[in-house]
Amino acid sequence: MDLLQGINSRQSIRGFLSKPVPETLLREVLLAAGRSPSYKNTQPWEVSIVSGAKRDALADLLFKLASNDTAPSYDFPAPESWPDALDFRAKDHGTRRFNALGIGRDDKKLRNDLRLQNFKFFGAPCAVFFFMDASLEHWSALDMGLFLQSFTLAAHGAGLGTCMQASVSGYPDAIRQCLEIPSNKKLIVSMSLGYPDMKAPINSYQSTRMDVDDFTTWHR
C-alpha cells in the first residue's frame, strides 16, 4: 500500500488474532519508526515490547488493578477539561462506539466489561510501551508523537493492527516494576499490537473525522 492509502485506511484495532508476531517483523516496524524526525536528532524514544508469559503476567496485574478500581496515576495526566468542540468530539466518539456494539447508555456492566478489555490488551499477543526520560520536556513529547505515528503506520503497512491505550498508561508504576524499568523513565502511552481480527464486531466501528475546512485556515 502507498503512504496516503496507509494513512487513510489505518484504524484503532480492539480485536486481535492469537497469531504471534515474528520478531523480525517487529524489528522492521521499529526500524521504520526510528526514521521519525526529532528535535536536533535527539531520538528520545524508548520502547518496550512485551509478549509471551511476561505479557500474560502484566495483563493479569493490570486487570486486577483496574477491576478493583485502583486510582490511576498517569506520568502525563490528561487535561482536566477540554474546549467545547473537543469535548463534543470525545463524547460523540464514545457514544458512537457503544452504539456500534449495541451497548446502551445505562448498561454499566457491559460498558465496564469493555473498559476492562483494555487491560487484557484486547487479546493482542504483544503489548508495547513507549517511554522517555523524565528530564525531557515538550519538544521531546512532540518527537514521541511523531515516533508513535510512524510506528502505527509502519505496523499497519506490515499487516498489523494497533490501539494506543491511555487507560493502561494510568498504572505506570506497576508497569515499570513488572518490566524492571527505572523510575526516571516516564510512560508516554501503552499500545496493543498484533494481527487484526476483522471479524470481531468491535473492529467494525470507525471513528469520524473533521472536514479539512473545519481545521484549516487558508491565507492567500
Side-chain angles (χ1 to χ4, degrees):
M1 84 180 56
D2 67 27
L3 185 57
L4 286 177
Q5 180 186 6
I7 292 171
N8 285 313
S9 62
R10 185 215 62 84
Q11 68 180 88
S12 293
I13 296 296
R14 293 181 175 85
F16 294 86
L17 302 174
S18 58
K19 178 182 176 181
V21 181
E23 183 176 322
T24 53
L25 186 59
L26 292 172
R27 286 184 176 273
E28 289 179 12
V29 170
L30 289 162
L31 185 64
R35 294 296 306 168
S36 302
S38 61
Y39 183 58
K40 295 186 176 181
N41 197 35
T42 48
Q43 305 175 64
W45 37 81
E46 300 181 36
V47 185
S48 293
I49 298 182
V50 190
S51 60
K54 179 64 78 171
R55 174 248 181 244
D56 295 343
L58 182 54
D60 288 343
L61 172 62
L62 294 170
F63 188 84
K64 184 179 294 183
L65 289 170
S67 298
N68 292 334
D69 293 324
T70 304
S73 179
Y74 294 90
D75 285 342
F76 296 92
E80 294 183 3
S81 62
W82 299 94
D84 289 344
L86 280 65
D87 187 58
F88 171 81
R89 287 196 289 272
K91 290 176 179 176
D92 182 63
H93 168 64
T95 299
R96 287 174 180 272
R97 185 151 56 94
F98 285 127
N99 288 345
L101 294 170
I103 300 176
R105 178 184 297 274
D106 298 325
D107 196 334
K108 294 181 180 180
K109 182 182 183 305
L110 281 180
R111 287 185 172 228
N112 190 53
D113 288 346
L114 183 62
R115 177 186 72 89
L116 290 174
Q117 287 307 305
N118 276 281
F119 304 94
K120 290 290 188 179
F121 307 115
F122 299 112
C126 296
V128 189
F129 301 93
F130 300 87
F131 296 90
M132 75 176 191
D133 194 89
S135 65
L136 302 175
E137 297 187 2
H138 65 280
W139 284 108
S140 296
L142 171 63
D143 296 339
M144 291 298 302
L146 293 167
F147 180 85
L148 283 161
Q149 176 76 332
S150 297
F151 187 96
T152 58
L153 291 175
H156 178 47
L160 300 171
T162 61
C163 183
M164 283 185 276
Q165 298 169 277
S167 55
V168 175
S169 309
Y171 300 110
D173 290 333
I175 293 167
R176 276 189 289 265
Q177 183 174 5
C178 182
L179 303 182
E180 299 182 346
I181 300 233
S183 60
N184 67 325
K185 304 301 179 182
K186 299 304 181 184
L187 179 61
I188 299 291
V189 75
S190 309
M191 177 187 286
S192 292
L193 179 146
Y195 291 99
D197 179 4
M198 297 314 296
K199 294 181 180 179
I202 197 167
N203 287 334
S204 65
Y205 169 74
Q206 292 195 30
S207 56
T208 60
R209 288 295 185 269
M210 290 189 290
D211 184 79
V212 168
D213 289 324
D214 290 335
F215 60 81
T216 306
T217 301
W218 303 95
H219 301 269
R220 297 184 175 92

